[in-house]
Amino acid sequence: MPPANNPTARRRRLGVELRRLREKAGMTGEEAAERMAWSGSKLSRIERGQVATNSDDVRDLLELYEVSDETLRTTLVTLARESRRRGWWHVYGDVMPERFEVYLGLEPEAEVLRFYQAQIVPGLFQTEDYARALLEAHPSAVAPEEIDRRVELRIRRRELLFSEQTPHVWVVLDEAVLHRPVGGPAVMADQIGHLLEAGLRTQVTIQIAPFGVGAHSGLDGSFDILEFPESDIHTPKLVHLENLTSSLYIEKAKEVRFYTVAFEHLRTAALHPEKTREVLADLQQRMRKQAQDE
């Protein structure tokens, strides 16, 4: 059980193992929290990997669960210590919502990423100019220097697509995304070109849900599904929802299954990836012509 490469992943691995040990000890979360004189929510957040915990708390839990394996004890204490380190993104803490730190840590650990977007291109696929146009349209005033830093952060995320252990990424875009001229025709032409380029990668699948589909399972809003390795048996998938002021992570199996089925319906209703490429290429040409005519 080697430590993963970022603190969020370490917290997640630690939480999964602590939950396994608690269940092996025959304790409910409420019982363990009471024995530790903790609130139930504190133990739950630790087991979900939502917060870092210190080495002493981990040692106390291991005593409570009567774990005698010294190798395992050392590994978990080390995970706790390393989970408190900062990720690469901490240098952008001045311009990044704290709630987004969790997502940045989880994204590269996933085996499969599924994005459904009804309004904008997913952040992982945004060009610099497209991202800048979105940030400039934010309802709160943002200084140019802060916009530059946020764009830089967003572009660094794109390195995930070019890493050695890239997850499979499946994107379904509502057709409305492509007809909203974020930044103007020239910016949209470049953005669509970037989608075309990304779609050439074997691990990336992009589809369009056309207007002609009518009512579909994504009309209630955008969502992301992150699927983790099978070894992560307690929380193999989670759903991420985001709005202007908050993020929500859904982990309950029944609710995750609901979103998974919704995505499958969207994928089935959407255009085939090859047809999607044809539509994108045609739209890119029209955007380029429109930009030239302006």
Side-chain angles (χ1 to χ4, degrees), residues 12-49:
R12 184 177 173 82
R13 299 290 183 266
L14 176 62
V16 167
E17 189 64 13
L18 289 175
R19 185 187 305 182
R20 183 188 70 82
L21 292 170
R22 172 177 58 76
E23 293 174 348
K24 183 178 179 181
M27 293 187 190
T28 65
E30 292 77 10
E31 291 170 340
E34 184 177 354
R35 294 278 295 276
M36 293 289 292
W38 291 351
S39 67
S41 62
K42 175 179 178 177
L43 180 61
S44 176
R45 289 196 299 271
I46 290 173
E47 290 186 347
R48 290 182 176 183

Tab-separated table of all heavy atoms in Angstrom, residues 12-49:
chain	number	residue	atom	x	y	z
A	12	ARG	N	-6.967	10.084	1.339
A	12	ARG	CA	-7.989	9.137	0.872
A	12	ARG	C	-7.565	7.698	1.150
A	12	ARG	O	-8.350	6.897	1.656
A	12	ARG	CB	-8.218	9.354	-0.625
A	12	ARG	CG	-9.332	8.504	-1.208
A	12	ARG	CD	-9.523	8.858	-2.667
A	12	ARG	NE	-10.464	7.946	-3.291
A	12	ARG	CZ	-11.783	8.053	-3.221
A	12	ARG	NH1	-12.320	9.039	-2.551
A	12	ARG	NH2	-12.572	7.180	-3.813
A	13	ARG	N	-6.298	7.358	0.839
A	13	ARG	CA	-5.812	6.004	1.084
A	13	ARG	C	-5.842	5.690	2.582
A	13	ARG	O	-6.223	4.599	2.997
A	13	ARG	CB	-4.377	5.859	0.560
A	13	ARG	CG	-4.215	6.082	-0.938
A	13	ARG	CD	-4.848	4.960	-1.743
A	13	ARG	NE	-4.607	5.162	-3.161
A	13	ARG	CZ	-5.452	5.776	-3.979
A	13	ARG	NH1	-6.583	6.255	-3.516
A	13	ARG	NH2	-5.161	5.910	-5.262
A	14	LEU	N	-5.420	6.660	3.386
A	14	LEU	CA	-5.423	6.469	4.836
A	14	LEU	C	-6.841	6.244	5.344
A	14	LEU	O	-7.090	5.340	6.154
A	14	LEU	CB	-4.802	7.690	5.515
A	14	LEU	CG	-4.804	7.691	7.042
A	14	LEU	CD1	-3.988	6.527	7.592
A	14	LEU	CD2	-4.259	9.025	7.570
A	15	GLY	N	-7.775	7.056	4.873
A	15	GLY	CA	-9.159	6.925	5.325
A	15	GLY	C	-9.761	5.581	4.974
A	15	GLY	O	-10.457	4.963	5.787
A	16	VAL	N	-9.493	5.107	3.753
A	16	VAL	CA	-10.007	3.801	3.334
A	16	VAL	C	-9.480	2.701	4.242
A	16	VAL	O	-10.220	1.807	4.676
A	16	VAL	CB	-9.622	3.525	1.865
A	16	VAL	CG1	-9.859	2.060	1.501
A	16	VAL	CG2	-10.419	4.421	0.932
A	17	GLU	N	-8.179	2.758	4.554
A	17	GLU	CA	-7.582	1.709	5.390
A	17	GLU	C	-8.083	1.785	6.826
A	17	GLU	O	-8.362	0.762	7.453
A	17	GLU	CB	-6.057	1.829	5.345
A	17	GLU	CG	-5.321	0.669	6.001
A	17	GLU	CD	-5.550	-0.658	5.294
A	17	GLU	OE1	-6.084	-0.644	4.156
A	17	GLU	OE2	-5.193	-1.704	5.862
A	18	LEU	N	-8.267	2.991	7.352
A	18	LEU	CA	-8.781	3.125	8.717
A	18	LEU	C	-10.220	2.621	8.815
A	18	LEU	O	-10.608	2.006	9.808
A	18	LEU	CB	-8.699	4.586	9.172
A	18	LEU	CG	-7.286	5.123	9.444
A	18	LEU	CD1	-7.329	6.618	9.757
A	18	LEU	CD2	-6.625	4.355	10.592
A	19	ARG	N	-10.994	2.863	7.791
A	19	ARG	CA	-12.369	2.344	7.799
A	19	ARG	C	-12.363	0.823	7.752
A	19	ARG	O	-13.128	0.166	8.461
A	19	ARG	CB	-13.160	2.910	6.611
A	19	ARG	CG	-14.631	2.499	6.647
A	19	ARG	CD	-15.373	2.904	5.389
A	19	ARG	NE	-15.260	4.323	5.122
A	19	ARG	CZ	-15.864	4.930	4.085
A	19	ARG	NH1	-16.595	4.214	3.249
A	19	ARG	NH2	-15.725	6.212	3.892
A	20	ARG	N	-11.481	0.259	6.927
A	20	ARG	CA	-11.389	-1.201	6.846
A	20	ARG	C	-11.024	-1.804	8.195
A	20	ARG	O	-11.612	-2.808	8.638
A	20	ARG	CB	-10.341	-1.600	5.803
A	20	ARG	CG	-10.218	-3.112	5.587
A	20	ARG	CD	-9.046	-3.456	4.690
A	20	ARG	NE	-7.769	-3.207	5.339
A	20	ARG	CZ	-7.201	-4.063	6.196
A	20	ARG	NH1	-7.802	-5.191	6.534
A	20	ARG	NH2	-6.027	-3.777	6.734
A	21	LEU	N	-10.079	-1.183	8.869
A	21	LEU	CA	-9.640	-1.696	10.175
A	21	LEU	C	-10.739	-1.547	11.227
A	21	LEU	O	-10.896	-2.420	12.093
A	21	LEU	CB	-8.371	-0.961	10.618
A	21	LEU	CG	-7.121	-1.256	9.772
A	21	LEU	CD1	-5.993	-0.310	10.144
A	21	LEU	CD2	-6.687	-2.717	9.941
A	22	ARG	N	-11.491	-0.445	11.163
A	22	ARG	CA	-12.603	-0.283	12.107
A	22	ARG	C	-13.645	-1.369	11.906
A	22	ARG	O	-14.132	-1.982	12.875
A	22	ARG	CB	-13.242	1.097	11.933
A	22	ARG	CG	-14.533	1.260	12.746
A	22	ARG	CD	-15.127	2.632	12.634
A	22	ARG	NE	-15.441	3.031	11.276
A	22	ARG	CZ	-16.492	2.594	10.585
A	22	ARG	NH1	-17.314	1.683	11.114
A	22	ARG	NH2	-16.726	3.035	9.369
A	23	GLU	N	-13.989	-1.632	10.654
A	23	GLU	CA	-14.987	-2.658	10.375
A	23	GLU	C	-14.474	-4.040	10.754
A	23	GLU	O	-15.240	-4.881	11.251
A	23	GLU	CB	-15.370	-2.608	8.893
A	23	GLU	CG	-16.118	-1.330	8.528
A	23	GLU	CD	-16.372	-1.207	7.037
A	23	GLU	OE1	-15.769	-1.995	6.268
A	23	GLU	OE2	-17.162	-0.330	6.636
A	24	LYS	N	-13.186	-4.275	10.549
A	24	LYS	CA	-12.584	-5.550	10.939
A	24	LYS	C	-12.653	-5.726	12.446
A	24	LYS	O	-12.817	-6.855	12.955
A	24	LYS	CB	-11.138	-5.616	10.463
A	24	LYS	CG	-10.451	-6.941	10.753
A	24	LYS	CD	-9.026	-6.949	10.203
A	24	LYS	CE	-8.334	-8.273	10.517
A	24	LYS	NZ	-6.937	-8.288	10.000
A	25	ALA	N	-12.557	-4.610	13.180
A	25	ALA	CA	-12.643	-4.649	14.641
A	25	ALA	C	-14.075	-4.772	15.128
A	25	ALA	O	-14.315	-4.879	16.343
A	25	ALA	CB	-11.990	-3.402	15.232
A	26	GLY	N	-15.033	-4.738	14.212
A	26	GLY	CA	-16.440	-4.917	14.581
A	26	GLY	C	-17.069	-3.694	15.196
A	26	GLY	O	-18.027	-3.811	15.970
A	27	MET	N	-16.581	-2.508	14.858
A	27	MET	CA	-17.116	-1.275	15.432
A	27	MET	C	-17.836	-0.450	14.372
A	27	MET	O	-17.400	-0.388	13.218
A	27	MET	CB	-15.994	-0.411	16.019
A	27	MET	CG	-15.307	-0.980	17.225
A	27	MET	SD	-14.159	0.236	17.917
A	27	MET	CE	-13.284	-0.805	19.096
A	28	THR	N	-18.896	0.213	14.792
A	28	THR	CA	-19.536	1.196	13.935
A	28	THR	C	-18.776	2.510	14.075
A	28	THR	O	-17.978	2.696	15.009
A	28	THR	CB	-20.996	1.431	14.341
A	28	THR	OG1	-21.032	2.023	15.655
A	28	THR	CG2	-21.782	0.120	14.351
A	29	GLY	N	-19.042	3.423	13.149
A	29	GLY	CA	-18.397	4.720	13.244
A	29	GLY	C	-18.764	5.445	14.521
A	29	GLY	O	-17.922	6.101	15.152
A	30	GLU	N	-20.019	5.318	14.920
A	30	GLU	CA	-20.469	5.977	16.149
A	30	GLU	C	-19.751	5.417	17.373
A	30	GLU	O	-19.344	6.178	18.273
A	30	GLU	CB	-21.984	5.804	16.310
A	30	GLU	CG	-22.828	6.554	15.285
A	30	GLU	CD	-22.852	5.853	13.941
A	30	GLU	OE1	-22.367	4.689	13.842
A	30	GLU	OE2	-23.347	6.459	12.973
A	31	GLU	N	-19.582	4.096	17.413
A	31	GLU	CA	-18.896	3.477	18.553
A	31	GLU	C	-17.440	3.918	18.631
A	31	GLU	O	-16.939	4.267	19.711
A	31	GLU	CB	-18.971	1.948	18.448
A	31	GLU	CG	-20.370	1.384	18.657
A	31	GLU	CD	-20.451	-0.092	18.308
A	31	GLU	OE1	-19.567	-0.579	17.562
A	31	GLU	OE2	-21.400	-0.744	18.774
A	32	ALA	N	-16.765	3.909	17.496
A	32	ALA	CA	-15.352	4.295	17.481
A	32	ALA	C	-15.188	5.755	17.870
A	32	ALA	O	-14.281	6.110	18.642
A	32	ALA	CB	-14.754	4.040	16.103
A	33	ALA	N	-16.044	6.625	17.346
A	33	ALA	CA	-15.955	8.051	17.673
A	33	ALA	C	-16.187	8.280	19.156
A	33	ALA	O	-15.488	9.080	19.802
A	33	ALA	CB	-16.975	8.835	16.842
A	34	GLU	N	-17.141	7.569	19.736
A	34	GLU	CA	-17.420	7.717	21.170
A	34	GLU	C	-16.230	7.268	22.004
A	34	GLU	O	-15.864	7.923	22.999
A	34	GLU	CB	-18.664	6.906	21.535
A	34	GLU	CG	-19.080	7.067	22.985
A	34	GLU	CD	-20.348	6.311	23.312
A	34	GLU	OE1	-20.969	5.754	22.373
A	34	GLU	OE2	-20.724	6.261	24.498
A	35	ARG	N	-15.626	6.144	21.621
A	35	ARG	CA	-14.451	5.652	22.360
A	35	ARG	C	-13.285	6.640	22.267
A	35	ARG	O	-12.445	6.727	23.176
A	35	ARG	CB	-14.025	4.294	21.798
A	35	ARG	CG	-15.053	3.174	22.023
A	35	ARG	CD	-14.928	2.581	23.414
A	35	ARG	NE	-13.652	1.909	23.600
A	35	ARG	CZ	-13.391	0.655	23.237
A	35	ARG	NH1	-14.338	-0.063	22.634
A	35	ARG	NH2	-12.212	0.116	23.483
A	36	MET	N	-13.201	7.364	21.157
A	36	MET	CA	-12.129	8.342	20.962
A	36	MET	C	-12.480	9.711	21.525
A	36	MET	O	-11.662	10.636	21.486
A	36	MET	CB	-11.826	8.487	19.460
A	36	MET	CG	-11.210	7.262	18.809
A	36	MET	SD	-9.499	6.979	19.317
A	36	MET	CE	-8.677	8.381	18.559
A	37	ALA	N	-13.708	9.836	22.026
A	37	ALA	CA	-14.212	11.129	22.519
A	37	ALA	C	-14.225	12.170	21.398
A	37	ALA	O	-13.917	13.351	21.598
A	37	ALA	CB	-13.384	11.628	23.705
A	38	TRP	N	-14.550	11.701	20.195
A	38	TRP	CA	-14.661	12.572	19.033
A	38	TRP	C	-16.121	12.706	18.633
A	38	TRP	O	-16.980	11.906	19.055
A	38	TRP	CB	-13.921	11.980	17.832
A	38	TRP	CG	-12.435	11.941	17.936
A	38	TRP	CD1	-11.649	12.519	18.890
A	38	TRP	CD2	-11.557	11.265	17.027
A	38	TRP	NE1	-10.337	12.260	18.639
A	38	TRP	CE2	-10.238	11.495	17.494
A	38	TRP	CE3	-11.728	10.514	15.871
A	38	TRP	CZ2	-9.125	10.981	16.850
A	38	TRP	CZ3	-10.632	10.005	15.223
A	38	TRP	CH2	-9.329	10.231	15.703
A	39	SER	N	-16.394	13.675	17.794
A	39	SER	CA	-17.707	13.732	17.164
A	39	SER	C	-17.736	12.708	16.032
A	39	SER	O	-16.688	12.356	15.470
A	39	SER	CB	-17.966	15.133	16.593
A	39	SER	OG	-17.084	15.402	15.518
A	40	GLY	N	-18.919	12.239	15.714
A	40	GLY	CA	-19.025	11.286	14.613
A	40	GLY	C	-18.575	11.889	13.293
A	40	GLY	O	-18.012	11.207	12.440
A	41	SER	N	-18.812	13.198	13.132
A	41	SER	CA	-18.437	13.841	11.875
A	41	SER	C	-16.923	13.900	11.700
A	41	SER	O	-16.431	13.820	10.575
A	41	SER	CB	-19.031	15.255	11.807
A	41	SER	OG	-18.513	16.060	12.853
A	42	LYS	N	-16.182	14.016	12.805
A	42	LYS	CA	-14.717	14.060	12.684
A	42	LYS	C	-14.197	12.740	12.135
A	42	LYS	O	-13.390	12.726	11.189
A	42	LYS	CB	-14.069	14.345	14.040
A	42	LYS	CG	-12.539	14.290	13.987
A	42	LYS	CD	-11.903	14.605	15.328
A	42	LYS	CE	-10.373	14.485	15.251
A	42	LYS	NZ	-9.705	14.848	16.501
A	43	LEU	N	-14.648	11.630	12.708
A	43	LEU	CA	-14.184	10.332	12.222
A	43	LEU	C	-14.634	10.107	10.785
A	43	LEU	O	-13.878	9.587	9.956
A	43	LEU	CB	-14.710	9.209	13.117
A	43	LEU	CG	-14.285	7.794	12.707
A	43	LEU	CD1	-12.766	7.658	12.746
A	43	LEU	CD2	-14.936	6.750	13.619
A	44	SER	N	-15.863	10.516	10.470
A	44	SER	CA	-16.372	10.339	9.106
A	44	SER	C	-15.525	11.110	8.103
A	44	SER	O	-15.188	10.600	7.022
A	44	SER	CB	-17.828	10.813	9.037
A	44	SER	OG	-18.312	10.737	7.704
A	45	ARG	N	-15.146	12.340	8.434
A	45	ARG	CA	-14.329	13.142	7.515
A	45	ARG	C	-12.944	12.528	7.329
A	45	ARG	O	-12.385	12.561	6.228
A	45	ARG	CB	-14.209	14.580	8.026
A	45	ARG	CG	-15.498	15.390	7.926
A	45	ARG	CD	-15.227	16.872	8.078
A	45	ARG	NE	-14.633	17.188	9.382
A	45	ARG	CZ	-15.324	17.461	10.467
A	45	ARG	NH1	-16.660	17.467	10.421
A	45	ARG	NH2	-14.720	17.759	11.608
A	46	ILE	N	-12.397	11.952	8.407
A	46	ILE	CA	-11.086	11.305	8.293
A	46	ILE	C	-11.187	10.082	7.384
A	46	ILE	O	-10.348	9.865	6.504
A	46	ILE	CB	-10.557	10.903	9.684
A	46	ILE	CG1	-10.175	12.153	10.482
A	46	ILE	CG2	-9.347	9.969	9.556
A	46	ILE	CD1	-9.808	11.866	11.931
A	47	GLU	N	-12.218	9.276	7.583
A	47	GLU	CA	-12.362	8.056	6.781
A	47	GLU	C	-12.669	8.364	5.321
A	47	GLU	O	-12.347	7.569	4.441
A	47	GLU	CB	-13.460	7.175	7.378
A	47	GLU	CG	-13.067	6.547	8.707
A	47	GLU	CD	-14.093	5.560	9.237
A	47	GLU	OE1	-15.229	5.530	8.702
A	47	GLU	OE2	-13.774	4.814	10.167
A	48	ARG	N	-13.262	9.497	5.069
A	48	ARG	CA	-13.546	9.894	3.679
A	48	ARG	C	-12.361	10.607	3.035
A	48	ARG	O	-12.414	10.927	1.847
A	48	ARG	CB	-14.767	10.816	3.635
A	48	ARG	CG	-16.074	10.116	3.950
A	48	ARG	CD	-17.223	11.091	3.834
A	48	ARG	NE	-18.507	10.443	4.031
A	48	ARG	CZ	-19.681	11.051	3.918
A	48	ARG	NH1	-19.712	12.336	3.597
A	48	ARG	NH2	-20.795	10.404	4.107
A	49	GLY	N	-11.339	10.889	3.824
A	49	GLY	CA	-10.179	11.583	3.291
A	49	GLY	C	-10.411	13.056	3.063
A	49	GLY	O	-9.692	13.697	2.296
